[in-house]
Amino acid sequence: LKFVFTGNIENSPHKDEIQNLIDEYHLKGDITFTGFLPDDQLDLYFRYASMAIINKGRTLQNKYCFASKAAEYLAYSIAVITTKVGDIKFYLTDGNNAYVIQPDDPKLLAEKIAQAFNNNAERERIAIGGKGVFDLNFDYKIQGRRLSQYLISFA
C-alpha cells in the first residue's frame, strides 16, 4: 500500500505531527509527498489510484461546503472514503457509492481503509457507484443538457 499526498507539507501546521507518525510507524518508504502537481501529472495519479480519502473534520468552513475534489475522484471512478461533513452527505451513501464515516474518528477511518483493500470487488462496486453519482450530478455535459432543456421549456 502506497500513500500519495499532494500539496505542500512544508506549509502544513501539522508537519511535525505527521513526520512523527511516519517515523513511529516506519512508513517513510510507503508515503510520497508530491507537492503541488501540474494537471497532467495529477491525472496520472488519478488514473492509477485505488482510493482517495477526504477526511474533513467538523469546522464551520467544512460544514457549509462541498469538497470539490470529491467530484474529481468520482469522475475517475476512484473509490472515496469521506466524512459525513458538508454537502457531500447529500450525494454519497456508505457502502453504495462511497465509504462514509463520522468525522474525527481515526480508528473508524483505519477500519474503512482496511475494509476497502481487503475487498476488491466491494471497492470496485463502490467506485462505479461513485462514478454514477458524478455522471448524474456533476458532469458538465449532462448538466448543460438539463439546463438547456429547462430554458427551452420557457421559449
Side-chain angles (χ1 to χ4, degrees):
L1 193 60
K2 299 289 182 191
F3 294 92
V4 177
F5 293 87
T6 58
N8 188 345
I9 190 171
E10 298 302 320
N11 295 338
S12 173
H14 307 289
K15 177 185 173 191
D16 292 337
E17 181 182 356
I18 293 167
Q19 287 299 148
N20 289 338
L21 287 169
I22 290 169
D23 293 342
E24 179 181 347
Y25 293 102
H26 310 288
L27 296 172
K28 189 170 180 82
D30 299 320
I31 295 179
T32 301
F33 292 98
T34 64
F36 290 101
L37 297 173
D39 287 343
D40 60 331
Q41 288 180 352
L42 192 57
D43 178 71
L44 285 174
Y45 280 103
F46 284 169
R47 288 182 186 278
Y48 297 102
S50 299
M51 183 180 354
I53 300 170
I54 305 169
N55 190 20
K56 292 200 174 270
R58 286 186 181 102
T59 67
L60 187 60
Q61 179 181 357
N62 291 341
K63 182 178 180 180
Y64 296 105
C65 78
F66 179 85
S68 57
K69 281 290 178 199
E72 283 188 81
Y73 302 148
L74 298 173
Y76 279 87
S77 298
I78 300 170
V80 172
I81 296 177
T82 189
T83 52
K84 194 180 282 190
V85 175
D87 287 349
I88 203 161
K89 66 182 170 278
F90 299 121
Y91 297 93
L92 301 178
T93 55
D94 185 45
N96 183 25
N97 45 38
Y99 299 92
V100 182
I101 61 172
Q102 292 299 323
D104 307 314
D105 191 341
K107 185 175 186 243
L108 184 56
L109 175 59
E111 289 171 4
K112 283 294 183 175
I113 293 169
Q115 176 184 341
F117 279 102
N118 287 323
N119 190 334
N120 290 334
E122 176 187 77
R123 188 179 71 246
E124 290 171 12
R125 179 185 54 75
I126 285 173
I128 290 168
K131 176 69 163 90
V133 169
F134 172 82
D135 290 343
L136 182 63
N137 296 286
F138 305 115
D139 186 301
Y140 74 93
K141 294 174 196 166
I142 292 171
Q143 296 309 317
R145 277 195 298 274
R146 286 170 125 175
L147 180 59
S148 175
Q149 290 167 353
Y150 175 75
L151 294 173
I152 289 170
S153 73
F154 291 105

